[in-house]
Every structure is written in structure tokens, then in C-alpha cells.
Amino acid sequence: MNQPESDDDGLFDHCPWLYAQQATAEQRAAQERRQKRLLGGAGAGAASVRLGEGCFVAETAAVYPEHLSLGDRSYIAAHAYVTGEIRTGADCTINPFTVVRGTVTLGNGVRIGAHSSLLAFNHGFSPDLPVHQQPVTSAGITVGDDVWIGSHVVVVDGVTIGDHCVIGAGAVVTKDLPAWTVAAGNPARRIRDRREPRGAGQRAVVPGGVAAGGVASGGVGSGGVASGGVASELSAFADDARAQAAGLLDRCWQPGTGRYVDRPGAEPTVRAHCDAVEIAALLLGQAPPHLPAAEHAARLRALQDPGTGLVPEFGAAPPVPGPAGLPQDGASAYHVLCVGYALDLLGSSFAHPVHSVRTTTADRLVAHLAELPWHDRAWHAGAWVDSWATAAHWNRRLGAEAAAPGAPEALFGWLHTHADPWTGMWGSPTSESGRLQMVNGYYRLTRGSFAQFGLPVPYAERVIDTVLDHARDPRHFAPGRENACNVLDVIHPLWLCARQTTHRAEEARSWASAQLTAALRRWQPGRGFPFGPTPDGTGPGREPGLQGTEMWLAIVWLLADLVGLADELGYRPRGIHRPEPALPVGPGPL
């Protein structure tokens, strides 16, 4: 039953909607034989299977039902796993690698995206019996007419999805959804009524696309978010920011030097040029208008030192690599991130691998990780890991070896074995700043390692506990004391861990809601966002500039996404703060 009769059938197995128009007589005969086997054999029994006119069942699908009734023109695609009592109306599609088990009833015109699971059964987990001996229950799943269920969705037992619903990719549906609901997230929650017109700048949830690991994009907020008011504010803010983007970039462009400054009166920096590229990509969908995209890329590529692969600051000597490939601190370590991602946004890349990381051995890397200042300067330690892992990422993108054999694996092995199971973090609180170094270091470390390579973080629930406790520290989060770095370094871990757990989800959304409202007030027309106050008075501070604008634009998106309103913005970070992994881990070394 599971072996295809002909390689020619593979197209229709994976794209069954093509079968009716494109199948040859031989392929139709093979499908007829397949259906006869379902109707009369393999333990199904003739009375337990009914297939309507024009149906298609892939040869590679595992179909072992107690009862199967497919309406006319309904399909089961390749490698689907179908068991139990399944009834569908007409024009239904169960796409490749989908699991439909238990008692499941689909109406007419239901589309189920690839890799989704409708699991209409459950079993107990009381402590008196092993899990495999627990009794099984099945309340059943019912899906109405004209429903689109995106890819990687999970629908649990007992759920009813009403007519005309749309479920975003990656959602986990745990409760009934009324008719016409557009829903997304983990757990799935209502975004809007499908019949409602979308506001300016709002985009539809794309069920076949990415839903940020299950965090709802573009929805009705919770935890204190009043969706109507905040949604309108977000949409209006994004429209204003786009209209003013060219002007705030002009403000920081120096025609005489051909370089960007963070803010008027400051010196030109490499980071300012990269921030300008990120802002233009977010708000304008193009390179900064002062130069053609190819010229922006050529100027940034020319900054790289070919001997080390590192990028010095304007006018500085070539950087000296540290003992494991990168300097401990300084602009060149951050340039691995900002220049690399600016080039990526411009459709280009570094001219050379980061040689000093490419030659790092596992032994040298592990020894250096142990020597980093985790106890009292965890931000600096985490920032080093971020830069090293990002350099390995760019090396791999260039087709070079990321590092010496075993070094990337050694990095993740060390991080897993040294994460504190009580806090989920690396490092310790300090008397001077509390958890600030730990949490800010956690953001930098996980951004370049776990998030960038699409790996789950260890102890996600403990991380949320630590971060929420830190977010109540008045030394850093009293009104008027927040800055872009501190808010980013809280929202990103909360957002990242929400992809793995719903632990304290309402508290996280409540915090994000309050910060979102405050963040929008910081925008200064025509000038952008100020970075915010810093304790030592250094850095961009309260003057609006490119760094503050680039960071707060990403922060606003992360805050909005956690409360389910990100689609109101009409932009999605694609550079340093991109929500998707830059390069998911696959076979072989990083």
C-alpha cells in the first residue's frame, strides 16, 4: 500500500490538485487500482470506505482507517498519515505529510496545509499509571465549510472550527473557533473576523507562510491590549515612519564625506551606514536613496580586512584577532553582525571569510569560552559568542568552512552544559546592576547562536521567569529610564521563548503591551527614535539617531508580535533582528 507503482505518479502524490487535468490514462488506471485496494482490502472492509467522484489518494500516503469517507474531488497527498474515522465533504485537500487521526469530520472546501496534525484523541497522564497504559479518549474534531488550515498547524481533540475560518501557519488550536475567525499563535487566538476590511498597512495572515514559530502575527492583543486603539496607533505610526524615512536618513548623510553619522554632530561610523541600510530596508523596501544599492554594497565590502576578515572602524588599524578568533570588545566585533547583515539586505555578502574564526579549533574555543567574564560582565561574554557564531554563519554562507572541524559543535555543547538550570542563563547577577548583565548577555548570546541557527534554547521557562523578574527592576525600567538596549534584551528572550512554551504568557504580553504604548510615544517626527538614557552618559542617549531608530523599529515589531499586532506595522525585520533563523542547522557542521 505504501510503495508507489510508478515514479511518474510522484508529481500527483505531492501536487494532487494537478491530477484531474494532467493525469494520463495509465496514471488514472493506477489510481483506480489504488482506490479499489482501499475499498476492498488491507483490513479496511468495503463497507468502511467511500470515495466520491474525482478523488485522489497518494500511493505513498499511509491510509489505515476504521472508516473513511471522501467527498467528491477530495485528495490525500503524499506521506499523509490517516487513521480512525475520517469524513470529508467535497473539495477537501489533506496535503503532504499531514496527520489526521481519530474521529475527524471536515466540511466542504477544507484545505489542510502540509505538516499539519489534526489529533482527535487523547489519553490521561495521572501519576498512578505509566503514560502508555493510560486510557485513550476521543471527543472528535469538527471543521466547517470553506476552511483554510495553514502549514504546521496542530488541532487538538475536542475542537470545533467554524465555517470560513483561516488558521495561520504554526498555530496550535486548543479551543473552538467561531465562524469567519482568522486565528494564529500558540495557543491560537482570534486576530479578526475574516469579513472585516483590513486597515491601512495591515497584511493578511498567510497560512502557508511563517508565523514566527507560533507567535501570532497581526492579531488581537491580550494581556491588557485593546486591539482597536493600539492597532490603529501602530498602523498610523508605521505610515508616518515610512513617510518620514527618507528625511531622517538625509539628516544623517554627509554628502561631503559620502558617509553616515548616527546623528548630526557625531562622527561617521561603519555602524551608522549599516543602520541606514536596515532602516531603508524596513521602511522603504530599498537601499538608502543616497547611493545605488550596488555602490552601498561595494563600499561596505571594501572595508573588510582581507587578512583577518574583520572590519575596522573608519581610520582605525586592522583589528587584531583574539585567542579564539575575535577581539573581546570593540567595533570590529559588532561589525561582524551589522556589516554582514547590511550586505545581506543589499543582496551581497562579505568579500572574504572571517579567517580568524575559520581557523578556530574546538580546544581553543572551549578554553576561551571558559575564560570569558561570565560572572560580572555577562553582556561582554554573550556579545563575543554572538560575534563568533555570526562569523561562522557568514563563513558558511560564503561556502567556506565555518571553523575548524568540531568547533561549532563544541560551542553549542559548551553552552548547553553551562546554562544555569535555575535561571536558564549564563552568568550571575551583580550588586551594582542586578540581572542586567545576565539578561542583556543572554540576548546577545542567543541571537547569534540558538536563534540565528534555529535551535531551541535550554530551560525556556526559567528564562522567562528570570527576564520577567528583571523587567520589574526600577533601576532599568522605571518610567524615563528605559533605553533601546535594555528593552530589546527583554523582549527578544520573551519572544524567543514563547516559541517553545506558553509559560507566563499573559504576563509577558502584559509587559509587552505597556512597553509598546510607551515606545510609540518616543518617535520624534522627522528625526526618528532616540536610543534612550544610559547610566554613564555615553552612547547615543536622548538625541534621535540611526542607532536608536534601527533598534526601536525592531523592538516595536517584537513587542507587537508578542501581543498579536505585528501585521499592523506592514514591515518585518530582515537584518540583525530578523525573526526567522538566518540559516537553519542541517546535516554536517555549521
Side-chain angles (χ1 to χ4, degrees), residues 39 123 139 158 170 189 230 252 267 271 273 290 297 310 373 394 439 458 498:
L39 289 167
H123 56 72
R189 54 189 185 270
V230 178
C252 298
E267 292 296 317
R271 177 170 185 164
H273 194 158
H290 308 100
L310 298 172
W394 297 129
V439 172

Side-chain angles (χ1 to χ4, degrees), residues 339-507:
V339 177
Y341 273 104
L343 287 169
D344 191 54
L345 288 168
L346 293 165
S348 184
S349 64
F350 278 124
H352 312 281
V354 184
H355 299 296
S356 52
V357 168
R358 188 172 57 86
T359 58
T360 302
T361 64
D363 289 346
R364 286 169 53 202
L365 177 61
V366 169
H368 188 68
L369 288 169
E371 293 170 356
L372 289 172
W374 298 105
H375 179 66
D376 58 348
R377 298 174 70 227
W379 181 88
H380 299 270
W384 189 91
V385 172
D386 186 2
S387 297
W388 193 94
T390 303
H393 161 61
W394 297 129
N395 287 350
R396 186 179 176 186
R397 282 279 297 272
L398 282 172
E401 195 169 24
E409 292 82 359
L411 170 68
F412 284 101
W414 193 95
L415 293 175
H416 271 287
T417 55
H418 287 78
D420 183 347
W422 294 103
T423 65
M425 301 200 168
W426 299 266
S428 306
T430 66
S431 58
E432 295 81 12
S433 60
R435 297 176 177 85
L436 182 67
Q437 285 277 334
M438 287 173 58
V439 172
N440 290 12
Y442 182 90
Y443 159 68
R444 285 296 305 272
L445 184 153
T446 55
R447 191 221 71 84
S449 56
F450 293 94
Q452 185 162 233
F453 289 99
L455 297 173
V457 298
Y459 310 118
E461 292 186 351
R462 300 292 76 76
V463 171
I464 292 171
D465 292 339
T466 302
V467 169
L468 287 175
D469 287 348
H470 167 63
R472 290 195 291 265
D473 190 331
R475 288 174 290 184
H476 315 300
F477 295 98
R481 293 189 180 183
E482 302 98 332
N483 64 42
C485 183
N486 293 348
V487 177
L488 173 63
D489 297 354
V490 168
I491 184 54
H492 189 273
L494 291 177
W495 179 92
L496 183 64
C497 291
R499 302 167 72 183
Q500 297 177 217
T501 177
T502 59
H503 180 63
R504 298 179 71 177
E506 288 301 316
E507 292 176 69

Side-chain angles (χ1 to χ4, degrees), residues 14-308:
H14 291 84
C15 306
W17 51 89
L18 301 177
Y19 174 79
Q21 285 75 37
Q22 298 184 17
T24 65
E26 181 183 354
Q27 290 164 337
R28 294 179 191 278
Q31 177 61 202
E32 185 177 348
R33 291 193 295 271
R34 164 70 166 153
Q35 294 189 19
K36 284 182 177 178
R37 292 201 305 274
L38 280 175
L39 289 167
S48 64
V49 176
R50 177 194 173 277
L51 304 177
E53 294 295 324
C55 287
F56 178 90
V57 180
E59 190 75 23
T60 55
V63 183
Y64 302 109
E66 298 171 24
H67 177 88
L68 174 64
S69 177
L70 291 185
D72 295 345
R73 300 173 301 282
S74 292
Y75 312 134
I76 299 177
H79 305 291
Y81 180 26
V82 178
T83 68
E85 298 188 9
I86 314 300
R87 295 171 175 82
T88 84
D91 300 300
C92 292
T93 298
I94 298 172
N95 271 300
F97 300 98
T98 293
V99 176
V100 181
R101 302 188 64 197
T103 302
V104 178
T105 302
L106 308 180
N108 296 313
V110 175
R111 291 291 189 267
I112 304 174
H115 298 277
S116 289
S117 297
L118 277 64
L119 305 175
F121 64 94
N122 207 339
H123 56 72
F125 51 90
S126 60
D128 57 330
L129 285 175
V131 170
H132 73 277
Q133 296 179 5
Q134 297 283 344
V136 175
T137 60
S138 178
I141 292 172
T142 301
V143 179
D145 296 336
D146 180 35
V147 172
W148 185 9
I149 297 174
S151 298
H152 293 277
V153 169
V154 176
V155 183
V156 303
D157 189 35
V159 165
T160 295
I161 298 175
D163 296 344
H164 314 295
C165 286
V166 175
I167 315 299
V172 179
V173 186
T174 61
K175 296 181 180 179
D176 293 352
L177 296 174
W180 296 102
T181 296
V182 178
N186 179 3
R189 54 189 185 270
R190 180 186 180 278
I191 291 172
R192 61 181 176 86
D193 188 297
R194 182 177 161 191
R195 296 166 293 186
E196 294 173 359
R198 295 191 300 274
Q202 184 177 0
R203 297 172 295 177
V205 171
V206 183
V210 176
V215 179
S217 289
V220 174
S222 56
V225 180
S227 63
V230 178
S232 299
E233 263 195 279
L234 281 169
S235 182
F237 156 74
D239 288 344
D240 289 344
R242 278 187 284 271
Q244 298 167 25
L248 67 89
L249 292 171
D250 279 340
R251 177 175 176 263
C252 298
W253 167 250
Q254 290 188 331
T257 65
R259 293 175 175 172
Y260 290 91
V261 296
D262 179 69
R263 57 204 180 279
E267 292 296 317
T269 62
V270 173
R271 177 170 185 164
H273 194 158
C274 298
D275 287 338
V277 171
E278 294 250 10
I279 293 166
L282 274 179
L283 298 180
L284 301 176
Q286 64 180 49
H290 308 100
L291 299 169
E295 179 63 20
H296 281 290
R299 293 190 182 193
L300 290 173
R301 281 168 59 90
L303 298 175
Q304 191 182 25
D305 172 46
T308 62

